[in-house]
């Protein structure tokens, strides 16, 4: 009876924590204000997924197991939490994008929310986690003013200006559990919900506003729905203190409820009809299956010496060729991503040398982008690094990462290149719960 009461108390506390977490942070989803024109298409720019430890190692995480890292891309990893631990992780990042189009360039910078995670055990074999992560962002701003003598000008249109602006983001909120089946094998599942809205504005204004109609269109896309991530991990010891982990996770293809609205009008400086305004098109539709996101298969292996060195490789396959986005007809293609990362810790438990406790990381990533524009599939190449500073006599730490990504287009096909420089910091707090004090 005492065991049952203890179990019920633990479950109630776990449920209260998750509910409070969801209520408090369900609205904490921002968008990156990084000005990438590629965000105009489909669901925008996809955000790299992972904790800052993972991102510093090229993004690997499928086989990662650690008592104070919430590797949410494979929920089987949750069983690595200590039986009385509580892990909280919150991160931010700062990114600078440099757009390169021949001899022309443009830069933009933004700081944004990266993730909010928590995890803890509810028994010796079952551990749970929850988190809020940006999935994609749709921000861009393109403005141009055409005057006489410039390309695109003619006597019929005269001087004119154009403005294309996107805003909004899509966010992922998950809650999951990992179960230890045997000493070496764990299984896990995440229940994930996507939600968010993207808005796109296109505006054309003519200088001869007394004899010309200007044009304005606003398009919006919103999405909601649930899906599941399934994962498994196998871990084994090789000799003394050496280990090897293998992991697989799978997210099935899923149809989501989505809404697409479109409004188009023409107008002049005159406020009253018949000159202004004049609605040309206005429609909206909501469906349960017009947006389909792809299945994702992740394979990973990690090996090394416990608390000393680790090297891992991840391979990710996404079936974007079968995906579709409500209201969008931009082509998409399947993606393949190869990631590799290394971590080295001189002396994790040193109490006399601060530098020896620092965790050093390096990594890289080669990936297809899901967008196909003008017959060209974009490519991405990344180099990453990072380090973590562990607090003395504690598992808690501050983690930092650095990322350089080249998003490769094709200038001969009118597709520019982008250089993205990112730095991030997270606070990873490790504490104990359900531990009864012996003394007050």
């Amino acid at each position: 009876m005492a065991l049952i009461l203890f179990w019920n108390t633990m479950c109630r506390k776990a449920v209260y924590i998750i509910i409070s977490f969801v209520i408090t942070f369900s609205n904490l989803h921002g968008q990156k204000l990084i000005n990438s024109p590629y965000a105009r298409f489909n669901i925008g720019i996809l955000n790299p997924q992972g904790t800052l430890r993972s991102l510093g190692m090229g993004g690997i995480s499928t086989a990662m197991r650690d008592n104070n890292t919430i590797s949410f891309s494979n929920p089987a990893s949750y069983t690595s939490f200590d039986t009385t631990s509580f892990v909280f992780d919150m991160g931010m990042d700062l990114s600078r994008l440099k757009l390169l189009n021949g001899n022309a360039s443009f830069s933009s910078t933004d700081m944004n929310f990266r993730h909010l995670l928590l995890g803890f055990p509810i028994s010796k074999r079952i551990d749970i986690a929850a988190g809020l992560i940006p999935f994609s962002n749709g921000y861009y701003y393109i403005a141009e003013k055409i005057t006489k003598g410039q390309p695109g000008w003619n006597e019929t249109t005269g001087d004119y200006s154009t403005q294309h602006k996107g805003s909004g983001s899509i966010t992922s909120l998950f809650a999951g559990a990992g179960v230890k089946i045997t000493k070496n094998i764990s299984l896990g599942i995440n229940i994930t919900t996507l939600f968010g809205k993207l808005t796109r504005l296109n505006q054309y204004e003519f200088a001869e506003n007394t004899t010309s109609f200007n044009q304005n269109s606003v398009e919006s896309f919103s999405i909601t729905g649930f899906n599941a991530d399934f994962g498994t991990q196998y871990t084994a010891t090789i000799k003394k203190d050496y280990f090897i982990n293998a992991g697989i996770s799978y997210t099935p293809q899923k149809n989501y409820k989505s809404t697409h609205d479109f409004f188009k009008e023409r107008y002049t400086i005159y406020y009253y009809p018949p000159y202004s305004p004049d609605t040309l098109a206005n429609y909206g539709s909501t469906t349960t299956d017009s947006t389909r996101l792809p299945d994702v298969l992740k394979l990973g292996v990690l090996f090394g010496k416990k608390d000393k060195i680790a090297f891992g490789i991840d391979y990710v396959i996404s079936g974007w060729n079968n995906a579709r986005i409500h209201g969008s007809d931009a082509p998409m293609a399947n993606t393949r991503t190869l990631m590799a990362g290394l971590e080295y810790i001189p002396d994790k438990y040193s109490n006399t040398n601060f530098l020896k406790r620092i965790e050093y990381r390096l990594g890289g990533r080669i990936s297809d982008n899901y967008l196909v524009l003008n017959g060209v599939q974009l490519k991405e190449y990344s180099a990453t690094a990072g380090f973590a500073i562990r607090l003395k006599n504690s598992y808690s730490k501050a983690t930092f990462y650095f990322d350089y990504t080249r998003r490769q287009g094709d200038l001969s096909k009118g597709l520019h290149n982008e250089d993205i420089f990112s730095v991030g910091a997270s606070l990873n707090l490790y504490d104990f719960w359900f531990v009864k004090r012996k003394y007050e």
Side-chain angles (χ1 to χ4, degrees):
M1 180 62 70
L3 181 61
I4 294 175
L5 290 175
F6 177 69
W7 169 261
N8 289 337
T9 300
M10 291 180 69
C11 289
R12 283 198 301 271
K13 289 187 177 182
V15 170
Y16 292 155
I17 289 174
I18 290 178
I19 292 175
S20 298
F21 175 85
V22 171
I23 292 174
T24 302
F25 297 107
S26 61
N27 290 322
L28 186 60
H29 61 283
Q31 69 173 60
K32 279 183 173 294
L33 301 181
I34 291 295
N35 192 2
S36 172
Y38 292 130
R40 297 177 64 184
F41 305 100
N42 293 322
I43 56 173
I45 300 296
L46 301 180
N47 288 292
Q49 302 291 297
T51 64
L52 297 200
R53 180 193 180 199
S54 165
L55 295 176
M57 298 173 69
I60 65 168
S61 60
T62 309
M64 192 174 286
R65 293 178 60 82
D66 187 60
N67 61 350
N68 63 344
T69 299
I70 303 172
S71 299
F72 54 85
S73 66
N74 189 343
S77 68
Y78 304 155
T79 59
S80 61
F81 298 153
D82 294 330
T83 55
T84 58
S85 66
F86 182 93
V87 182
F88 177 85
D89 195 330
M90 180 176 180
M92 304 287 292
D93 69 5
L94 174 69
S95 296
R96 180 175 179 81
L97 179 146
K98 186 176 183 180
L99 186 154
L100 304 169
N101 190 7
N103 295 325
S105 65
F106 174 83
S107 297
S108 60
T109 305
D110 180 52
M111 178 177 286
N112 205 62
F113 162 75
R114 165 137 288 281
H115 65 255
L116 187 66
L117 308 167
L118 63 84
F120 49 87
I122 58 174
S123 75
K124 289 184 178 181
R125 288 185 174 271
I126 302 175
D127 302 78
I128 61 178
L132 188 70
I133 310 133
F135 180 77
S136 74
N137 79 87
Y139 177 83
Y140 61 90
Y141 182 75
I142 306 169
E144 186 178 28
K145 186 174 182 179
I146 303 298
T147 59
K148 188 174 182 178
Q150 292 182 318
W153 186 92
N154 61 66
E155 292 184 358
T156 302
T157 59
D159 296 352
Y160 66 94
S161 62
T162 64
Q163 178 179 242
H164 307 279
K165 186 175 183 180
S167 61
S169 63
I170 297 175
T171 301
S172 173
L173 176 66
F174 77 88
V179 181
K180 184 171 287 188
I181 304 301
T182 68
K183 179 181 178 181
N184 304 100
I185 300 174
S186 296
L187 301 177
I189 182 173
N190 282 333
I191 302 300
T192 303
T193 177
L194 284 181
F195 59 96
K197 182 177 182 179
L198 304 177
T199 301
R200 288 158 182 161
L201 166 72
N202 297 294
Q203 189 174 61
Y204 302 84
E205 292 190 338
F206 298 92
E208 297 297 329
N209 49 36
T210 59
T211 58
S212 302
F213 282 98
N214 302 315
Q215 185 172 291
N216 178 68
S217 67
V218 179
E219 182 180 11
S220 66
F221 166 82
S222 60
I223 184 173
T224 57
F226 290 87
N227 201 0
D229 308 316
F230 305 93
T232 182
Q233 283 187 336
Y234 173 82
T235 181
T237 301
I238 305 174
K239 296 182 178 181
K240 184 179 180 180
D241 294 332
Y242 288 88
F243 69 90
I244 183 168
N245 300 337
I248 301 174
S249 72
Y250 179 69
T251 303
Q253 177 180 280
K254 180 67 168 58
N255 291 335
Y256 288 84
K257 180 179 180 181
S258 60
T259 298
H260 177 241
D261 294 313
F262 182 79
F263 175 78
K264 185 177 182 180
E265 68 174 353
R266 64 178 185 175
Y267 60 95
T268 69
I269 60 172
Y270 302 108
Y271 180 76
Y272 298 101
Y275 303 104
S276 182
D278 183 13
T279 299
L280 301 178
N282 186 14
Y283 61 85
S285 64
T286 299
T287 66
T288 58
D289 60 359
S290 289
T291 293
R292 178 191 300 143
L293 295 187
D295 59 338
V296 181
L297 175 64
K298 301 177 181 178
L299 309 172
V301 62
L302 183 76
F303 57 91
K305 185 176 182 180
K306 184 179 179 181
D307 297 331
K308 191 71 175 179
I309 191 170
F311 176 78
I313 297 175
D314 273 21
Y315 185 63
V316 181
I317 305 171
S318 299
W320 282 99
N321 192 50
N322 294 320
R324 62 173 181 254
I325 309 300
H326 191 185
S328 177
D329 57 2
M332 295 175 284
N334 296 341
T335 65
R336 303 288 186 271
T337 303
L338 179 64
M339 297 171 278
L342 173 70
E343 179 180 67
Y344 174 70
I345 311 171
D347 187 351
K348 185 173 182 177
Y349 301 103
S350 174
N351 287 321
T352 59
N353 192 320
F354 166 77
L355 294 178
K356 288 185 177 181
R357 294 201 306 272
I358 296 179
E359 304 169 4
Y360 301 93
R361 296 166 187 139
L362 288 173
R365 180 174 64 251
I366 301 173
S367 177
D368 303 313
N369 190 291
Y370 79 106
L371 291 175
V372 179
L373 304 173
N374 297 338
V376 176
Q377 184 173 10
L378 304 181
K379 305 291 183 180
E380 295 185 2
Y381 308 92
S382 302
T384 69
F387 64 94
I389 302 173
R390 190 173 65 86
L391 305 181
K392 188 175 181 179
N393 299 322
S394 172
Y395 284 120
S396 297
K397 55 184 146 181
T399 302
F400 305 87
Y401 93 103
F402 310 90
D403 182 289
Y404 163 70
T405 295
R406 159 59 68 97
R407 187 171 294 133
Q408 186 78 45
D410 187 336
L411 296 179
S412 67
K413 298 294 183 64
L415 302 178
H416 65 275
N417 300 322
E418 294 178 349
D419 288 335
I420 305 102
F421 303 88
S422 300
V423 296
S426 70
L427 184 61
N428 182 281
L429 300 177
Y430 178 98
D431 205 349
F432 296 96
W433 73 331
F434 297 137
V435 177
K436 185 176 181 180
R437 296 182 180 179
K438 294 183 177 181
Y439 305 100
E440 296 294 338

